[in-house]
């Protein structure tokens, strides 16, 4: 069994090599992303292993099938980058439904605290021996209302963390669950009443740009939006306008609509062409991390283990647990 592993980073290799060796799988690591231009690298491989920004479009799918690939193994939870409709079940797609919801939820809280307690500013100030506190006033999370969109695995971990801070919890989910001390409301109410809004739902047709001009209009002037889910849940242009016009308190973004052009790569010696991203990053009340919420040792280990288990189950003709379909 040979697998072409796209968008490989140094931190992926140790855990994948460990589990793949044990399972007798050979992995060919490629730093490049999967797209129409790189799909031929999968020639001679039984399948591909891809991540969030690999492009598994209709054309790429047809080319993978022509190259003889028999499966697509996503080493992430989300699968919005795969054209499942076009694939139409012609080969299985596996994903890793849960690897560490704590990693993402904890990162969301880290970004929130950084933002509201001005830690990003304090870090730079004290390194320059500037011990002034002007402009550093934050606010307590205790007694504030957090609105969680999507109460799945990550949303629930974030709820638990917020409970620890003594926050009141509102939630919206297309499929509400029974969670103690959580009040489900419609999105309008959630936008209107929340001091913090955190997105933990998948990117789909009906969640695309769910935070747009209209939604922001309903929010409190001091509301902070956290997005650790998928960039296109937020209309970044509308968010930037709201930030510039001081209609919103701030944003914590681990994901960005056009992130596939930039995230995971070093652009420190380049001129970044995306004016919305650069303007957002320049704002004192916007924190951007480059899709790193998942990046903990525990999560990397679980991702590699589950991905290799998915492939091994396929190889052995066993029942497949983690397949995704339309
Ligand atoms: P999950 O599947 O456990 O939970 C998703 C929740 O969203 C479910 O409760 C579901 O009912 C709800 N939902 C579905 N459609 C909805 C809609 N139209 N409106 C509102 N809610 C809806 O997924 P999990 O593991 O909690 O992950 C959530 C998202 O986090 C993933 O879709 C993925 O995009 C993102 N993610 C980001 C990572 C990062 O590193 N930044 C890492 C892992 C996941």
């Amino acid at each position: 069994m040979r697998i072409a592993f796209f968008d490989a980073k140094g931190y992926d290799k140790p855990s994948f090599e460990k589990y793949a060796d044990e399972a007798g799988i050979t992995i060919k690591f490629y730093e490049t992303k999967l797209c129409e231009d790189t799909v031929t690298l999968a020639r001679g491989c039984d399948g591909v292993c891809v991540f969030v920004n690999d492009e598994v479009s209709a054309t790429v799918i047809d080319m993978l099938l022509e190259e003889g690939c028999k499966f697509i193994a996503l080493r992430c939870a989300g699968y919005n980058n795969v054209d499942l409709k076009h694939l139409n079940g012609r080969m299985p797609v596996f994903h890793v439904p849960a690897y560490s919801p704590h990693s993402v939820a904890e990162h969301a809280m880290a970004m929130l605290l950084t933002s509201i307690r001005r830690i990003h500013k304090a870090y730079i100030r004290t390194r320059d021996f500037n011990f002034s506190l002007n402009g550093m006033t934050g606010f307590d999370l205790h007694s504030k209302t957090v609105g969680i969109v999507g109460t799945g695995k990550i949303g629930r971990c974030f709820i638990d963390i917020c409970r620890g801070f003594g926050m009141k919890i509102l939630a919206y989910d297309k499929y509400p669950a029974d969670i103690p001390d959580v009040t489900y409301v419609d999105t309008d109410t959630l936008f209107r009443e929340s001091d913090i809004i955190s997105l933990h739902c998948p990117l789909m047709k009906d969640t695309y740009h769910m935070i747009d001009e209209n939604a922001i209009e309903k929010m409190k002037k001091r509301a902070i939006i956290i997005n650790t889910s998928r960039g296109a849940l937020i209309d970044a242009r509308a968010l930037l306008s709201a930030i510039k016009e001081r209609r919103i308190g701030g944003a914590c973004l681990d994901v960005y609509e056009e992130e596939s052009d930039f995230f995971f790569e070093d652009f420190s010696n380049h001129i970044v062409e995306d004016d919305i991203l650069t303007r957002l990053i320049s704002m004192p009340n916007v924190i951007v991390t480059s899709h790193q919420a998942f990046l903990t040792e525990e999560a990397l280990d679980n991702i590699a283990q589950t991905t290799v288990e998915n492939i091994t189950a396929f190889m052995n003709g066993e029942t497949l647990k983690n397949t995704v379909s339309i």
Side-chain angles (χ1 to χ4, degrees):
M1 173 70 75
R2 278 162 75 87
I3 290 151
F5 189 107
F6 288 89
D7 204 7
K9 298 284 183 275
Y11 50 77
D12 290 317
K13 289 183 187 170
S15 48
F16 267 94
E17 275 169 346
K18 178 179 107 185
Y19 288 106
D21 276 358
E22 284 168 13
I25 296 170
T26 304
I27 301 187
K28 294 179 75 180
F29 289 100
Y30 295 112
E31 285 181 18
T32 183
K33 289 192 184 70
L34 176 63
C35 64
E36 287 175 34
D37 297 334
T38 59
V39 73
T40 51
L41 292 170
R43 188 162 296 159
C45 290
D46 299 280
V48 289
C49 182
V50 298
F51 198 47
V52 291
N53 290 325
D54 287 296
E55 197 183 295
V56 197
S57 62
T59 316
V60 168
I61 286 169
D62 290 342
M63 291 169 83
L64 285 174
L65 286 164
E66 269 170 40
E67 295 294 349
C69 281
K70 298 181 203 68
F71 62 84
I72 297 166
L74 288 157
R75 53 181 192 279
C76 52
Y79 43 86
N80 52 285
N81 53 334
V82 183
D83 189 338
L84 288 172
K85 204 167 164 203
H86 180 80
L87 182 62
N88 197 20
R90 286 178 289 164
M91 63 178 148
V93 179
F94 324 122
H95 74 148
V96 184
Y99 38 89
S100 171
H102 306 285
S103 65
V104 182
E106 289 172 16
H107 190 80
M109 182 48 87
M111 292 183 93
L112 174 60
L113 287 172
T114 300
S115 170
I116 64 168
R117 302 309 300 267
R118 324 295 292 151
I119 306 294
H120 55 308
K121 293 282 172 196
Y123 175 77
I124 291 165
R125 268 194 202 182
T126 54
R127 285 177 77 86
D128 201 26
F129 306 107
N130 174 354
F131 301 114
S132 148
L133 292 183
N134 288 331
M136 301 298 240
T137 311
F139 63 84
D140 290 3
L141 286 181
H142 189 268
S143 304
K144 295 292 183 307
T145 299
V146 58
I148 316 262
V149 181
T151 53
K153 292 174 285 296
I154 297 170
R156 286 178 205 214
C157 284
F158 193 64
I159 287 171
D160 286 343
I161 294 171
C162 291
R163 272 208 200 98
F165 279 81
M167 302 177 82
K168 181 182 162 200
I169 295 154
L170 297 180
Y172 169 75
D173 195 300
K174 202 169 171 183
Y175 310 99
D178 191 13
I179 309 174
D181 301 325
V182 172
T183 310
Y184 280 97
V185 291
D186 57 28
T187 46
D188 277 8
T189 310
L190 185 141
F191 295 152
R192 246 192 342 264
E193 295 187 7
S194 301
D195 300 292
I196 316 291
I197 293 160
S198 196
L199 306 179
H200 300 290
C201 62
L203 174 62
M204 307 170 112
K205 248 193 199 140
D206 58 342
T207 57
Y208 175 80
H209 281 189
M210 71 183 308
I211 305 293
D212 58 6
E213 187 68 43
N214 228 336
I216 293 171
E217 205 58 46
K218 295 176 185 126
M219 293 177 193
K220 293 185 182 181
K221 216 175 159 209
R222 273 177 39 159
I224 309 275
I225 303 170
I226 309 169
N227 189 7
T228 54
S229 207
R230 285 292 179 268
L233 294 177
I234 299 183
D235 177 349
R237 192 175 291 275
L239 176 67
L240 177 60
S241 301
I243 295 274
K244 277 164 76 177
E245 291 156 20
R246 297 159 182 77
R247 282 188 279 119
I248 194 111
C252 304
L253 309 173
D254 185 52
V255 286
Y256 170 66
E257 235 184 316
E258 305 298 332
E259 69 177 48
S260 59
D261 293 339
F262 305 103
F263 282 17
F264 308 134
E265 307 301 332
D266 180 0
F267 277 84
S268 55
N269 278 318
H270 298 264
I271 291 167
V272 172
E273 304 276 356
D274 186 320
D275 288 350
I276 297 182
L277 179 62
T278 52
R279 196 78 172 92
L280 280 170
I281 287 174
S282 75
M283 295 293 177
N285 53 349
V286 176
I287 309 271
V288 175
T289 52
S290 57
H291 208 136
Q292 77 172 70
F294 75 99
L295 195 61
T296 64
E297 287 168 12
E298 292 80 358
L300 288 175
D301 195 73
N302 290 339
I303 288 170
Q305 186 177 17
T306 306
T307 306
V308 170
E309 279 172 8
N310 288 341
I311 295 167
T312 310
F314 173 75
M315 206 161 75
N316 297 338
E318 294 163 12
T319 315
L320 304 175
K321 277 190 304 202
N322 299 321
T323 50
V324 295
S325 49
I326 310 165

